[in-house]
Amino acid sequence: LSILLLSLGLGTTLTFASSHWLLAWMGLEISTLAIIPLMSQHHHPRAVEATTKYFITQAAAAALILFASTTNAWITGQWDINFDLHFFPASMLTMALALKMGLAPVHFWLPEVLQGLDLTTGLILSTWQKLAPFILMCQIMPVNSSLITFLGVTSTLVGGWGGLNQTQLRKILAYSSIAHLGWMILVMQFNQQLALLALIIYIPMTFSTFMIFKTNSSTTVNTLAASWAKTPALTAITPMILLSLGGLPPLSGFMPKWMILQELTKQDIPLTASIAALSALLSLYFYLRVSYAMTLTISPNNLNTTTSWRLQTTASTLPLAISATISAMLLPLAPATL
């Protein structure tokens, strides 16, 4: 386990530190190969299926990155990441990195893969594994503006629409991840720091949500309803974290959305900003639904379901406490980020 986690760290750090396309590609490959054993550690058909799907999509994306960077070296004669890319390889790289991160319209693998994993590996997949492609995407900006806007708008809309009909928490979190990445991509072509801020705030929020579901050992919306008996304090805090993911003031999740909308209106694209803001309403609906199921409904007792044990958890709750505080109370620091 320590070897795999260290390799995960190494792969991402290698991509961060590299200024050569081959080295960046190698970092992405190392982190992909390091998470695969973590995904298939529970020998369950679903886990194996999810791992296979993940491997195939990531391998395709990596091959595309390699092809695009080679083509770029062939056209421009150098491998440096910080150098201006040729238009054609740049578009290809953008699509490959979008596939790596799971941006719409190449997002189809993400909900399926996340649904097959346990919550801890799912957490690594939806936070840490997004970092390396995200930083690479930041480094090749600004490229093909219409393609980036298309990716961003589609992702926010798909992330909103897709999550509406779900009862599985991991799929809901996958669609939430797609929507958040859409927001980051939209603003990335104008202001990379802002996109990074959105990512930095998205990570503790997602961490808290995954940890809450792990503490309650629940993977469907129905099983959340029994959580008030297990962890009453956590159940009271959860709606705040979920609504922070939805981007309601006065919670931290409002800060990146607010600044992104401000930046988009500054850049004189009000239509894109309006579509993004309206799609945030869709996401907010399913976060509200989860909050409602968790705090305002009684667990279905007439079904012949097995009631889960109500044991005191032995896991450390300090990381969850810290990330929950960050996800709820960071908004007053907004002026400092400007």
Side-chain angles (χ1 to χ4, degrees):
L1 183 66
S2 53
I3 288 178
L4 293 173
L5 290 175
L6 281 170
S7 305
L8 265 180
L10 169 77
T12 307
T13 319
L14 197 60
T15 310
F16 283 178
S18 62
S19 59
H20 190 289
W21 277 114
L22 269 184
L23 207 58
W25 169 80
M26 214 181 328
L28 290 170
E29 279 297 273
I30 291 173
S31 56
T32 302
L33 290 176
I35 202 174
I36 279 174
L38 291 177
M39 291 172 138
S40 56
Q41 59 185 339
H42 305 289
H43 299 290
H44 190 279
R46 279 209 187 131
V48 175
E49 183 191 345
T51 314
T52 314
K53 283 178 179 168
Y54 180 75
F55 176 72
I56 291 171
T57 49
Q58 296 297 307
L64 202 53
I65 289 172
L66 198 55
F67 176 57
S69 48
T70 316
T71 313
N72 183 59
W74 186 41
I75 296 172
T76 59
Q78 49 75 45
W79 284 93
D80 201 338
I81 289 183
N82 305 316
F83 198 79
D84 280 349
L85 288 162
H86 187 262
F87 178 79
F88 172 64
S91 308
M92 227 173 359
L93 268 166
T94 309
M95 284 315 287
L97 290 169
L99 179 59
K100 275 257 178 222
M101 284 193 282
L103 283 167
V106 283
H107 66 284
F108 293 100
W109 61 272
L110 185 60
E112 300 296 325
V113 167
L114 211 53
Q115 181 53 35
L117 306 178
D118 65 324
L119 290 164
T120 324
T121 322
L123 169 64
I124 297 175
L125 182 68
S126 40
T127 54
W128 185 255
Q129 290 294 84
K130 300 264 190 272
L131 291 175
F134 186 86
I135 298 291
L136 274 182
M137 195 78 120
C138 276
Q139 282 176 319
I140 63 171
M141 286 292 155
V143 293
N144 198 344
S145 162
S146 48
L147 175 66
I148 296 288
T149 310
F150 169 71
L151 283 173
V153 171
T154 331
S155 297
T156 51
L157 285 171
V158 164
W161 282 120
L164 289 182
N165 213 9
Q166 302 294 340
T167 54
Q168 298 285 348
L169 294 176
R170 285 166 294 188
K171 282 200 175 173
I172 288 181
L173 284 169
Y175 282 109
S176 121
S177 167
I178 294 167
H180 278 272
L181 278 168
W183 279 82
M184 294 170 212
I185 289 295
L186 268 180
V187 79
M188 199 188 272
Q189 48 187 332
F190 308 117
N191 190 339
Q192 279 97 20
Q193 283 80 20
L194 204 49
L196 205 55
L197 170 80
L199 184 71
I200 289 167
I201 288 181
Y202 160 77
I203 286 176
M205 293 193 295
T206 308
F207 179 82
S208 318
T209 320
F210 268 103
M211 280 320 206
I212 286 162
F213 296 159
K214 193 173 173 349
T215 312
N216 291 321
S217 62
S218 52
T219 52
T220 59
V221 173
N222 273 350
T223 50
L224 271 182
S227 64
W228 58 270
K230 293 191 219 170
T231 48
L234 193 58
T235 310
I237 297 168
T238 307
M240 283 171 60
I241 293 165
L242 285 165
L243 295 179
S244 180
L245 266 171
L248 281 192
L251 305 162
S252 332
F254 176 58
M255 173 169 41
K257 283 196 164 58
W258 171 34
M259 290 179 176
I260 286 171
L261 287 176
Q262 185 189 357
E263 183 66 36
L264 291 177
T265 36
K266 259 190 219 163
Q267 298 292 341
D268 204 27
I269 35 174
L271 182 65
T272 312
S274 312
I275 294 172
L278 287 171
S279 70
L281 282 175
L282 293 169
S283 304
L284 186 61
Y285 172 76
F286 61 78
Y287 296 126
L288 266 174
R289 209 173 113 228
V290 175
S291 316
Y292 176 79
M294 192 162 182
T295 50
L296 294 172
T297 55
I298 294 175
S299 176
N301 293 328
N302 53 354
L303 302 175
N304 51 357
T305 51
T306 52
T307 312
S308 53
W309 286 88
R310 290 173 192 166
L311 299 172
Q312 282 299 315
T313 174
T314 51
S316 161
T317 47
L318 183 65
L320 175 55
I322 295 168
S323 66
T325 314
I326 292 173
S327 356
M329 300 179 180
L330 222 56
L331 190 65
L333 291 180
T337 57
L338 293 171

